[in-house]
Amino acid sequence: MARVVVDVMLKPEILDPQGQAVQRALPRLGFDGISDVRQGKRFELEIDGPVDDAALDRVRKLAETFLANTVIEDFTVKVES
Amino acid sequence: MARVVVDVMLKPEILDPQGQAVQRALPRLGFDGISDVRQGKRFELEIDGPVDDAALDRVRKLAETFLANTVIEDFTVKVES
């Protein structure tokens, strides 16, 4: 059993109100020197069997069709060691 | 300017209804062989200046006090190259 991580983030050109809310709150909370915050989603998938190219292709297809809205979001698929 | 990533996930012993909803939908959508799904949050922070130990300590403090609820969530801080 292996873990594959799918990170889904809004595309850079899409406004991110959640990230902006965090960023604006930081100086008030005493944290300076952070110029931008983007907030996204992280999915940890436990895969049965070997994580070969076919399995990763399936996860990529799954991310593209179901986990991410590719009109406004980018995703990355990584195997976690 | 460097990017630091904070991943926030529910602790393993905490029920994750979002992840469960995704997992249950998978067979219906034609994706088999995925035994567990956990959903969490990913924050990408753009840090001004060098990312040294002091800066990472500040980000860890920020994650602990503000980005994660450490009663039910774990977080990891990583510098992204």
Side-chain angles (χ1 to χ4, degrees):
Chain A
M1 198 134 87
R3 174 173 295 173
V4 175
V5 174
V6 179
D7 288 319
V8 178
M9 300 297 294
L10 285 169
K11 288 179 194 277
E13 65 270 26
I14 305 287
L15 194 69
D16 176 5
Q18 283 186 304
Q20 283 187 342
V22 172
Q23 194 203 338
R24 284 197 199 125
L26 295 181
R28 192 158 38 84
L29 294 159
F31 295 98
D32 294 313
I34 295 174
S35 57
D36 192 30
V37 178
R38 308 278 292 174
Q39 181 174 347
K41 284 174 284 187
R42 174 186 170 92
F43 297 90
E44 293 181 352
L45 312 178
E46 302 292 334
I47 307 285
D48 298 333
V51 181
D52 48 15
D53 284 351
L56 284 178
D57 276 348
R58 267 173 39 232
V59 171
R60 258 182 230 109
K61 182 89 186 150
L62 158 67
E64 194 179 336
T65 54
F66 184 49
L67 300 180
N69 174 355
T70 53
V71 177
I72 58 168
E73 291 170 329
D74 290 325
F75 67 89
T76 59
V77 174
K78 278 175 301 197
V79 182
E80 196 157 272
S81 50
Chain B
M1 199 132 87
R3 173 173 296 173
V4 176
V5 174
V6 179
D7 288 320
V8 178
M9 300 297 293
L10 285 169
K11 288 180 193 279
E13 66 269 27
I14 305 286
L15 194 70
D16 176 4
Q18 282 186 305
Q20 283 187 342
V22 172
Q23 194 202 337
R24 282 195 201 128
L26 294 181
R28 191 158 39 85
L29 294 158
F31 295 98
D32 293 313
I34 295 175
S35 58
D36 192 30
V37 178
R38 307 279 292 175
Q39 181 173 349
K41 284 174 283 186
R42 174 186 169 93
F43 297 90
E44 294 182 352
L45 312 177
E46 302 292 334
I47 308 284
D48 299 332
V51 181
D52 48 15
D53 284 352
L56 283 178
D57 276 349
R58 269 173 37 232
V59 172
R60 259 181 229 111
K61 183 89 186 148
L62 158 67
E64 195 178 336
T65 54
F66 184 51
L67 300 181
N69 174 355
T70 54
V71 177
I72 57 168
E73 291 169 329
D74 290 326
F75 67 89
T76 59
V77 174
K78 279 175 300 196
V79 182
E80 194 156 272
S81 49

